[in-house]
Amino acid sequence: SRTGMVLSVLVILLLSVLYEAVKMGKAVLLRRALLALPRSLSHEMLAEPEEREPEDRDTGPAQDRWFRYHVGQTLFHVVQVVLGYMVMQAVMSYNAWIFLGAIVGSTLGY
């Protein structure tokens, strides 16, 4: 029906916008993770935990922050892949309106 088609196109449009938003969020998290890394790395910091002195074995706040950003990036990546495959499957229906909805959604999201 006409209503079903309009709703389908709107859903694909929103999924495409969400895909672009997640892609941007992932880039922001990458920038924050890179800023959380220490400015200089010494040989002692790169050594395995068993080789370090006992007082150096605990992780610092910068390493904890970097790890949290990395986990966030991982989650954003999974969401981005799932959304991308969902939009791709919809476009593979070879429906021109669905295709245009995906294109307009990507344009608006970007």
Side-chain angles (χ1 to χ4, degrees):
S1 71
R2 192 175 297 206
T3 305
M5 179 57 71
V6 169
L7 286 176
S8 296
V9 170
L10 283 176
V11 166
I12 295 304
L13 187 138
L14 291 175
L15 284 176
S16 297
V17 169
L18 185 61
Y19 175 85
E20 293 294 333
V22 167
K23 188 166 68 170
M24 185 63 190
K26 193 170 125 181
V28 168
L29 276 179
L30 174 63
R31 184 173 186 274
R32 288 184 182 173
L34 291 176
L35 290 174
L37 286 174
R39 295 283 180 223
S40 66
L41 295 174
S42 64
H43 178 65
E44 291 80 23
M45 289 294 293
L46 295 174
E48 293 295 322
E50 302 85 36
E51 298 173 11
R52 290 192 213 158
E53 297 297 322
E55 63 271 2
D56 292 338
R57 288 189 186 168
D58 58 336
T59 58
Q63 291 161 332
D64 291 340
R65 225 178 17 248
W66 179 85
F67 181 74
R68 282 182 289 179
Y69 287 135
H70 188 67
V71 169
Q73 281 181 298
T74 302
L75 295 176
F76 268 82
H77 179 74
V78 169
V79 170
Q80 182 184 0
V81 167
V82 169
L83 287 172
Y85 278 122
M86 289 172 67
V87 172
M88 181 192 66
Q89 286 288 47
V91 168
M92 293 301 292
S93 69
Y94 298 109
N95 184 310
W97 294 109
I98 297 287
F99 177 73
L100 289 175
I103 296 297
V104 170
S106 292
T107 304
L108 291 175
Y110 184 78

